[in-house]
Amino acid sequence: MRAPLNPLRRTGRRDPTVPPRIFVLPALAVYALVVLYPSAAGVVYAFTDWTGVGSFSFVGLANFHTLLGDDRAVHSIGNTLLLTVAVVVAQNLVGLLLALGVHTGIRSRALLRVVFFAPAVVSPVMVAFLWKYVYNPDSGAGLNGVLGAVGLGGLRQDWLGDPSLTLWSVAAMVVWQYAGYSMVIFLAGLQDVPPELQEAARIDGAGTWQRFRYVTWPLLAPALTVNLMLSTIGGLKLFDQVYAATDGGPGTASETLSTVLYKEAFVYGKFGYSTAVALVLALFVAAVSLVQLHYLRAREVAA
Amino acid sequence: MSTGSRSLPGQGAVSRRGLLRAGGGLAAATALPAVLTACSGSGGGKVRLVGVADEQQPVTKLVAAYRRSRPGVGFSTSFAPTDQVQTVVRTQLAGGNAPDVHVLYPGSGSAMSMVELAKAGLLADLDDQAWTKTIPKSFDAAYRRDGKTYLYSAGSSVIGAVYNKRVFAEAGVRPPGTWSELLRVCATLKAKGTVPIALGAQTPWVTQLITYALVPNAVYAANPRFDDEMAAGKATFADSGWADALGKYQELQKRGFFNDHPDGTTYEQQTSMVATGKAAMAVQVSSVLANFRQAAASPDDLGMFLFPGGEDASKLWIPAGIVVGLGVSSRARNSAKGRQFVEFLGRQENLNAWAAAVSAIPFSRDSTTRLDPVLTPFLPVIDAGRAVPFMDQRWPNAEVQPAHFAAVQDLLAGRTDVKGALAQMDEAYGKTS
């Protein structure tokens, strides 16, 4: 959806309703000083053998060669991608369903929006600690206790201790926390769908599913773009919940690229190598995001 | 596998501070968690001290005692869990903004260990202080590097079985003295419906304790020079008594002597299980006894015995590791005041006080030393020279210990066997620090 052309632009006069760009400078200066500059300066360390303390030497591309042969890092990339796909799909699906649910005329919709959004404002580490109680492997506690109480005792699991389940348990925790966040963005999109289009479709005899599929869904494209972008970037960078809930375990079953780079820096004392991992992660996230943005924007225009 | 941290020949070293002047230093300032930033600003004339949570009780008590004798000296202290402190203090050290006195781990094998930081020239030499002369020679590897003392630590804690006396009495069993007896006691407890050994292996550091309890008998009893042989490349974990120790670890699991799902159980749950009598014992380090006692209905319900890794009760070997301590920064503003405080900590009565707070055994004892009674069975073994430092204190880099954690978790999950677990550890040991 293109913005309407500004007639004032052609006359060369500044639109008085648009604030001058210079106003952004103070915020940009602070951001550049505390984020952009240190990040850029930090890139230097990716080419050194710095341990985090003391002096260091430049080692060229050695850290990147090491990364290619580092089984743990490669394994963690697989985990990161699995986790990202699971989170992106489930978070947006649940978020969309919640948005559709609270976009109706039910009386409690305002309260429900707050309730569903609430987990998104809680610290991820706190959420991880909460869910450690939910995932207590004891048959009478947490989720296992609930399953037993409703006659589904056969579904009890060692949610965080079984290596084949850990990753999915963490994904569920993340989805629980951020589905409400996606819901809010979808809600904003739903409010942009003109009621007269829905009305016209209804008069033409379209059912609920057809109205959603051919009217609502195409017009939700901008909201979907934002949600997919945010959840993809969040998934690829996932650290707090994994670190607090499993520390990458059992073994290395839930290790993500972020937990690997954290451990390389702060546990193993290999800041140089860790910065190289961080650089690769940043470039990877940027590349995925750009491809995604290009595709989704094209889809928006088509819609 | 190379680690990418090797210097290329012929290239000069660059000073971190020099590079920081050129830029990037703000990253360190923005990386600090709020809990610790309070002490990272200008401390004026105050001694800035950053420690781990395990040290909070003794440090707080001894700072108060020190200030009574020297009211003019101010302190700014902060404590946080190990991983957070390690992250923050290393960042501060790198940024030239180190606390005057900070947490320091004995020996090597950790990113905040004495060897690692001394190597970088970040620690003050404490050799001119009287207490350093009383450190036993056998503790050199933990306290000293190149003959200079850099670590203050009150002494050693031991690893053994923390057990619930009430549960043992109800099952009609007594603390075992040999490995075979241990298996019989566990079988009896299991038959009575009690979990014999609580294991909270989801908490990484808990995974290592059973191995550490078994390795002294399996390795050092026959070969006290094992660490030196490892360092010289003449030994490996896979072809040593470590295989027996991990085999016994696995045997305990196969016999069903642990709680269900140890990989999903945390240290806090393990503590609660023993304290409430749901489980009979847990292999733990004596310095966490206070937590077990807090969780129990009565602290007297809990005792501790040597976890027997061998078949001769009179010749058992045990692990006794130097407890986490403090180092003085060589570059901080008030490091002279920090040194004076550490000198005060080195007095016998203060060694005793610190050791008592963490159920440890002071490295020097006299008639005023009062030990936690649960440590009594361990003293004859230590005095007979059958105690070995915690294994990681002699490991060459910070990767072996986490590799051990992961290997044990994989072993418990059935994703690897003893051979595979030890191969992971050997690979980590071979990496450059």
Side-chain angles (χ1 to χ4, degrees), chain A residues 42-48 50 59-68 73 257 260-261 264-265 270-284, chain B residues 3-4:
Chain A
V43 169
V44 173
Y45 297 115
F47 304 93
T48 70
W50 191 41
V59 293
L61 295 173
N63 289 331
F64 297 94
H65 285 301
T66 303
L67 178 57
L68 290 174
L257 207 48
V260 166
L261 78 87
E264 289 291 346
K270 292 184 172 171
F271 268 76
Y273 179 58
S274 168
T275 310
V277 177
L279 190 59
V280 167
L281 176 64
L283 293 172
F284 184 59
Chain B
T3 60

Side-chain angles (χ1 to χ4, degrees), chain B residues 22 35 42 54 80 94 165 196 248 250 270 276 279 301 322 330 341 421:
Chain B
V35 69
S42 165
D54 302 0
K165 294 177 189 170
K248 283 186 164 132
Q250 210 174 22
Q270 174 196 50
T276 58
D301 282 351
I322 303 303
S330 58
F341 175 61

Side-chain angles (χ1 to χ4, degrees), chain B residues 199-423:
Chain B
L199 178 58
Q202 199 203 57
T203 303
W205 62 265
V206 173
T207 57
Q208 67 194 330
L209 300 173
I210 292 179
T211 326
Y212 282 17
L214 296 169
V215 159
N217 286 287
V219 176
Y220 297 91
N223 182 10
R225 294 186 46 77
F226 177 73
D227 288 333
D228 298 326
E229 289 179 10
M230 283 289 287
K234 293 176 184 166
T236 60
F237 290 118
D239 295 320
S240 72
W242 271 80
D244 304 330
L246 275 188
K248 283 186 164 132
Y249 203 148
Q250 210 174 22
E251 185 182 356
L252 292 172
Q253 188 192 22
K254 282 179 178 163
R255 289 176 180 250
F257 292 161
F258 297 145
N259 44 286
D260 291 337
H261 315 304
D263 271 352
T265 305
T266 63
Y267 159 67
E268 290 77 11
Q269 288 159 352
Q270 174 196 50
T271 305
S272 163
M273 285 166 82
V274 177
T276 58
K278 193 176 167 185
M281 67 183 111
V283 178
Q284 264 297 354
V285 64
S286 59
S287 54
V288 302
L289 261 170
N291 298 340
F292 277 76
R293 285 168 171 156
Q294 264 173 353
S298 160
D300 297 334
D301 282 351
L302 299 168
M304 207 165 169
F305 62 86
L306 278 69
F307 193 71
E311 290 299 348
D312 185 345
S314 65
K315 286 190 182 158
L316 287 178
W317 283 60
I318 60 163
I322 303 303
V323 294
V324 60
L326 297 171
V328 178
S329 170
S330 58
R331 300 177 185 175
R333 198 180 345 170
N334 291 315
S335 98
K337 287 181 184 172
R339 286 169 58 85
Q340 287 163 355
F341 175 61
V342 168
E343 189 160 27
F344 168 81
L345 295 180
R347 293 181 194 168
Q348 187 62 54
E349 68 268 27
N350 297 328
L351 285 177
N352 291 344
W354 185 308
V358 295
S359 298
I361 300 159
F363 64 75
S364 77
R365 306 198 293 263
D366 68 4
S367 58
T368 65
T369 306
R370 297 280 172 273
L371 291 181
D372 191 317
V374 298
L375 298 172
T376 308
F378 295 86
L379 288 179
V381 182
I382 292 170
D383 293 337
R386 294 200 309 274
V388 291
F390 296 160
M391 291 84 232
D392 55 274
Q393 293 177 2
R394 289 288 311 273
W395 288 341
N397 63 52
E399 295 195 49
V400 190
Q401 195 177 21
H404 180 209
F405 299 161
V408 170
Q409 286 181 334
D410 279 343
L411 199 67
L412 293 167
R415 296 181 106 200
T416 188
D417 54 11
V418 169
K419 202 174 161 186
L422 293 174

Side-chain angles (χ1 to χ4, degrees), chain B residues 31-41 49-51 53 56 76-89 92:
Chain B
L32 303 183
V35 69
L36 283 162
T37 48
C39 71
S40 63
L49 188 153
V50 178
Q56 183 159 2
S76 162
T77 58
S78 48
F79 304 91
T82 304
D83 53 346
Q84 288 179 31
V85 171
Q86 187 154 299
T87 305
V88 172
V89 176
Q92 291 176 326

